[in-house]
Amino acid sequence: MRHTLPIAPQFYVTAPQPCPYLEGRMERKLFTALQGEGSQRLNDSLSKQGFRRSQNVLYRPACAECSACLSARVNVADFSMSRSQRRTWNRNTRLERRATSPWATEEQYNLFRRYLEHRHADGGMADMDTFEFAAMIEETPIRTRVVEYTDTETGDLVAVCLTDVLDDGVSMVYSFYDPDRPRDSLGTYLILDHIEIARENGLPHVYLGYWVPGSPKMGYKAAFTGLEIYVNGAWERMGTPEDYSAQLHPLSNDPISEQVANISLPDGKPLRAR
């Protein structure tokens, strides 16, 4: 029988683009393709190292002069609801959760369009058509679910989250919800319910994407107790948000070659050791 050695993934860097979180800064990403039989293990491993999934790509910020974007996750065992979050939870008891295979529907797309028009009309997704939306939902080589929330009184679909299942948690890839229900704080509720999903399945973490110090768009994540952020190659319990700031010195970040060399693959070995 012929045996073949696994091929290490190739990493690439995007061209600098305007940062969507901090005005006047340029964003650059380190990314690799997510494909083949080892996709699930690669996603599990790189998610623990600050990467995020977008369709069949894993990426992580790799800006030349800024390290503001910090991967964030909730440690479920350390989480407890604040009074405000408890009120949000109680306001949404009429919502029914349903997890399905990653399949796009017209009802989802209509809700997605309304969400973008009210919340992110000038964002990068504003022109996404039905085919691109379907690709966002359906193009996944790993364990992914679409978690839908329906109002049991009206039958309306009010929130959706594209959720990856990892070996140590769930990752909220992208979520959207009814913009005409601001009092329900649906964005907060989705995170609270995903913490409950993780608890129900014995998973220790809920991955929330990136937290950016000083960015109003990302400030809500700091309100969750048990929040951990990925700093200098390790997860640490988040302290006071004001203690973190965007680093701007050009020597703050390692060169791309060094960043890639320090990435550990599913076998536990860094790329530099290969």
Side-chain angles (χ1 to χ4, degrees):
M1 181 182 294
R2 177 184 296 177
H3 295 277
T4 58
L5 294 174
I7 300 175
Q10 299 297 307
F11 289 85
Y12 307 90
V13 181
T14 62
Q17 297 180 339
C19 177
Y21 306 120
L22 297 170
E23 188 175 351
R25 303 193 192 178
M26 300 300 289
E27 177 187 60
R28 188 176 64 174
K29 294 177 180 176
L30 178 67
F31 70 96
T32 187
L34 188 61
Q35 57 191 6
E37 294 181 1
S39 294
Q40 184 66 52
R41 292 178 65 231
L42 184 64
N43 189 49
D44 290 342
S45 179
L46 294 193
S47 292
K48 299 184 184 90
Q49 299 172 69
F51 280 78
R52 295 284 288 170
R53 183 181 73 83
S54 177
Q55 294 174 236
N56 58 357
V57 169
L58 288 171
Y59 69 91
R60 185 174 75 184
C63 304
E65 299 183 359
C66 179
S67 57
C69 293
L70 302 173
S71 187
R73 69 185 186 186
V74 174
N75 186 319
V76 174
D78 293 338
F79 173 76
S80 60
M81 286 192 198
S82 66
R83 276 192 272 184
S84 174
Q85 290 166 347
R86 176 64 64 183
R87 288 193 294 269
T88 295
W89 182 263
N90 291 335
R91 277 198 300 269
N92 289 284
T93 55
R94 66 190 179 282
L95 297 187
E96 181 178 67
R97 178 213 306 159
R98 184 171 72 101
T100 69
S101 298
W103 187 257
T105 67
E106 184 176 355
E107 188 178 21
Q108 292 170 7
Y109 181 69
N110 291 337
L111 179 62
F112 173 73
R113 290 304 323 166
R114 289 177 52 222
Y115 172 79
L116 288 184
E117 289 165 6
H118 284 77
R119 300 291 298 267
H120 304 285
D122 57 349
M125 292 176 143
D127 297 328
M128 186 178 286
D129 60 25
T130 54
F131 299 103
E132 292 167 322
F133 175 77
M136 180 181 76
I137 297 293
E138 298 172 10
E139 288 186 11
T140 170
I142 62 168
R143 288 177 293 175
T144 299
R145 297 291 181 268
V146 173
V147 186
E148 298 182 333
Y149 296 84
T150 302
D151 189 321
T152 55
E153 295 179 2
T154 66
D156 294 333
L157 179 67
V158 300
V160 176
C161 187
L162 184 64
T163 304
D164 286 348
V165 183
L166 310 178
D167 62 358
D168 73 333
V170 291
S171 176
M172 300 178 69
V173 176
Y174 190 76
S175 59
F176 52 95
Y177 45 85
D178 189 341
D180 295 329
R181 302 166 75 129
R183 185 176 175 274
D184 292 341
S185 302
L186 290 171
T188 294
Y189 176 75
L190 290 180
I191 296 175
L192 293 174
D193 193 58
H194 274 70
I195 293 172
E196 185 60 24
I197 290 172
R199 276 204 182 108
E200 291 170 358
N201 290 276
L203 297 170
H205 302 113
V206 175
Y207 288 81
L208 301 181
Y210 296 104
W211 175 70
V212 183
S215 171
K217 292 181 180 179
M218 295 293 178
Y220 68 92
K221 296 178 183 179
F224 290 84
T225 58
L227 194 72
E228 299 175 343
I229 53 176
Y230 192 73
V231 180
N232 297 324
W235 291 95
E236 64 178 45
R237 181 73 175 266
M238 182 176 166
T240 305
E242 289 73 24
D243 292 340
Y244 299 89
S245 62
Q247 299 178 27
L248 288 173
H249 195 278
L251 299 182
S252 295
N253 298 332
D254 292 332
I256 291 296
S257 59
E258 188 71 13
Q259 292 184 42
V260 172
N262 287 323
I263 292 172
S264 293
L265 296 182
D267 61 8
K269 296 179 181 179
L271 282 171
R272 66 163 70 246
R274 293 175 176 273

